[in-house]
Amino acid sequence: MKLTILGGGGFRVPLVHEAVATAATGLTVDEIALHDVDPERLATISAVIEEQGARLAAEGRAVALPRLIATTDLREAVTGADFVFSAVRVGGAEARTVDERVALGLGLLGQETIGPGGLAYALRTIPVALEIARTIAELAPTAWTINFTNPAGIVTEAMRSVLGDRVVGICDTPIGLVRRVGRLLGADLVAGERGAEVDYVGLNHLGWLRSVRLEGTERLPGLLADDAALEEIEEARLIGKDWVRADGALPNEYLFYYLHTADAIERITGAATTRGEFLAKQQGDFYLAAAEADGRGPGAAGSADGGSAGHPDAAVGAVEAGSAGGARAGESCCTSPLDLWRETLHEREATYMAESRDEERREEDVAGGGYQEVAMRLMTALATGRSERMILDVGNIAAGREDAPASERIVPELPADCVLEVLCEVDGDGVHPLPIAPVELGRLGMMSTLRAAERRILEAATTGSREAAWQGFATQPLVSSPELGRRLLEGYEAGHPQIAALFSGR
């Protein structure tokens, strides 16, 4: 079995390798093909993975170490794949900082996937995602594609236009929420223990847990009434216990940015750096230090010329004492790439959504499983037929059935090809969304307004229509202004060569 990881030089890729090598879900993968457009990052992550494999074997934890192939050739990577994980970041972390700063400069939320920054991310990503989808359709037509690329909802929706039901989007935040509730109730809700029934609905990063039934009894109202229980649920602490109680549902943590927008902007602008700037610096330092530890960096022992060119992200900032995750100047010669990666990973996860918290992130919330576990469970269910339940980003109705009556859709009020985030049953026959209760008007309004704006961005990305892009930015729920929409578009054209080229016809 061949697994291809697009964005294979990405920081979180070793998490997937570890899950595969330890056969965390019981599935054996023969080959992992890493693809990335940046050969230096690809070499660094390959070094981390090779060391990780050796260490797992020495510890007796390796069940089946897959062959590792690293390439910058997309067609080579995809050919013959059984599964493709797509996790690309067009423009890298530096582009994310532009997404954030253009919005913040106009007094708007500057965040990776929420608000105008998410639309800018989608605008430059969708053309690449569609090219990836067409390549998969040509060279691996029976492969399942699991989309990690943000903003996951609209990117998955775009890829479905080529791949149909064989592309599925994933996110670990809904699963994290359901698991926290399950811990309090003493049952694995996702697996369906004790007859568990879960109603979660929304778009990616805009969803709600509306019902939890155990052995036929509704348990969510009791949790919402219990302050001690809500204290153990990260999302309730972030958004407010009184609010979730009044709303009658537990929200995805990203609702913080919609419900506490002014507070989020104040916290982000009050920090020394944005999240994108922090990650660009942290990961730039890591890749430099890891390359040096692997004998490829400018200060590496045994380097042929004693000072070869470093990683392209050197411009982010020199490796300084006190920088994140152990990637400190003068220390990388004595530290392995794997150890540097592990230290950096923990800090990255611990500081996730830091602007939404008045406290350090709790350890049980940091160690939540993550994308790699969701992806591996999905992959295993599809490959083996062993049934699994998980919250996924899927079409409102199966591909090819768009003309069926609206009543047969997951949410009848939304378009047939709209990608939603709901609980699904997965087996060897595919992904099967489970029924949900009717969506309340307020939630439906939030979902439809956001997706309408995203769809204008999708139109702009596929047609080069500057007018569609302007309308998308202007009608995004956290913008709602034609003038601000225009200024956002102008700012992103100035800051992103990919967006400027899209509208210039180059």
Side-chain angles (χ1 to χ4, degrees):
M1 179 178 294
K2 178 180 178 179
L3 167 63
T4 294
I5 303 178
L6 307 180
F11 185 78
R12 297 172 80 177
V13 169
L15 293 169
V16 178
H17 173 263
E18 181 174 15
V20 170
T22 57
T25 60
L27 185 68
T28 298
V29 175
D30 304 302
E31 177 180 309
I32 293 179
L34 303 181
H35 170 268
D36 205 285
V37 298
D38 186 329
E40 290 296 319
R41 284 183 180 249
L42 195 59
T44 294
I45 293 302
S46 296
V48 171
I49 286 174
E50 287 166 0
E51 184 183 354
Q52 182 183 68
R55 196 170 297 186
L56 290 171
E59 294 170 354
R61 296 175 55 210
V63 175
L65 288 175
R67 294 188 303 277
L68 186 66
I69 295 172
T71 179
T72 57
D73 184 330
L74 176 62
R75 296 178 67 84
E76 178 187 354
V78 165
T79 298
D82 298 288
F83 289 89
V84 178
F85 290 179
S86 182
V88 302
R89 181 179 288 279
V90 178
E94 292 72 30
R96 175 176 175 172
T97 68
V98 175
D99 294 344
E100 296 166 339
R101 284 298 178 189
V102 168
L104 290 169
L106 295 172
L108 300 168
L109 179 72
Q111 208 276 334
E112 178 190 23
T113 62
I114 305 300
L119 297 188
Y121 193 2
L123 190 55
R124 65 178 187 275
T125 299
I126 286 170
V128 176
L130 286 171
E131 180 58 31
I132 287 170
R134 288 189 284 266
T135 303
I136 293 169
E138 176 190 354
L139 300 175
T142 62
W144 283 93
T145 299
I146 301 174
N147 179 50
F148 297 68
T149 300
N150 277 321
I154 195 63
V155 171
T156 302
E157 195 165 305
M159 296 181 79
R160 275 178 60 85
S161 68
V162 178
L163 298 173
D165 291 334
R166 297 191 81 81
V167 59
V168 181
I170 69 167
C171 182
D172 55 350
T173 57
I175 292 291
L177 168 60
V178 173
R179 280 186 171 158
R180 282 184 268 280
V181 173
R183 282 200 301 262
L184 290 171
L185 297 177
D188 186 336
L189 301 179
V190 177
E193 284 183 1
R194 295 168 54 193
E197 299 176 30
V198 171
D199 184 319
Y200 181 96
V201 66
L203 306 179
N204 180 242
H205 291 179
L206 182 72
W208 300 266
L209 179 60
R210 302 184 298 162
S211 173
V212 177
R213 299 181 69 85
L214 278 181
E215 298 169 339
T217 301
E218 177 59 62
R219 301 295 300 273
L220 188 58
L223 287 179
L224 295 176
D226 185 345
D227 271 356
L230 291 181
E231 182 63 26
E232 299 302 313
I233 300 173
E234 187 175 27
E235 292 78 1
R237 298 197 306 271
L238 293 181
I239 290 166
K241 298 170 191 172
D242 289 344
W243 177 261
V244 301
R245 188 176 293 123
D247 194 38
L250 286 168
N252 185 295
E253 62 193 349
Y254 280 88
L255 265 291
F256 173 84
Y257 296 110
Y258 292 97
L259 298 172
H260 301 284
T261 311
D263 189 28
I265 294 171
E266 182 179 358
R267 291 179 183 220
I268 292 170
T269 56
T273 63
T274 66
R275 176 67 172 173
E277 289 164 348
F278 167 80
L279 289 177
K281 174 67 166 67
Q282 185 208 46
Q283 292 186 34
D285 287 353
F286 159 73
Y287 282 101
L288 281 167
E292 183 177 336
D294 191 43
R296 292 179 292 106
S303 173
D305 59 8
S308 60
H311 187 269
D313 282 352
V316 173
V319 181
E320 300 171 354
S323 65
R328 301 177 179 87
E331 292 184 10
S332 61
C333 63
C334 308
T335 308
S336 74
L338 177 61
D339 290 336
L340 285 167
W341 175 80
R342 285 178 171 171
E343 292 172 20
T344 307
L345 175 68
H346 189 271
E347 182 177 37
R348 173 189 168 119
E349 299 303 314
T351 56
Y352 170 70
M353 285 184 66
E355 67 273 9
S356 66
R357 298 178 175 82
D358 294 316
E359 60 181 18
E360 290 188 7
R361 201 173 185 205
R362 299 183 184 183
E363 195 63 35
E364 65 268 24
D365 295 324
V366 174
Y371 286 89
Q372 72 281 0
E373 182 186 347
V374 181
M376 285 301 299
R377 287 175 50 221
L378 172 58
M379 181 174 160
T380 302
L382 291 168
T384 67
R386 189 177 70 209
S387 180
E388 283 269 13
R389 298 200 317 174
M390 56 193 73
I391 296 170
L392 299 168
D393 289 88
V394 297
N396 199 9
I397 198 168
R401 299 196 61 239
E402 289 83 2
D403 293 333
S407 59
E408 297 183 23
R409 301 173 191 170
I410 302 169
V411 179
E413 298 85 354
L414 294 178
D417 58 349
C418 181
V419 165
L420 306 173
E421 199 163 81
V422 293
L423 185 67
C424 301
E425 189 93 26
V426 185
D427 56 29
D429 294 324
V431 178
H432 317 287
L434 298 177
I436 61 168
V439 179
E440 305 91 327
L441 183 61
R443 303 190 211 287
L444 186 63
M446 292 182 72
M447 292 166 64
S448 60
T449 303
L450 175 60
R451 186 47 51 87
E454 290 179 328
R455 283 191 161 203
R456 295 302 276 163
I457 294 296
L458 172 57
E459 178 186 345
T462 53
T463 66
S465 169
R466 196 173 185 279
E467 186 176 81
W470 171 40
Q471 290 180 312
F473 283 113
T475 59
Q476 210 284 340
L478 298 182
V479 179
S480 297
S481 162
E483 177 58 26
L484 286 173
R486 187 187 305 278
R487 294 170 67 187
L488 283 164
L489 178 55
E490 291 170 352
Y492 289 130
E493 284 181 291
H496 290 306
Q498 302 97 330
I499 292 178
L502 179 66
F503 299 128
S504 69
R506 296 197 300 273

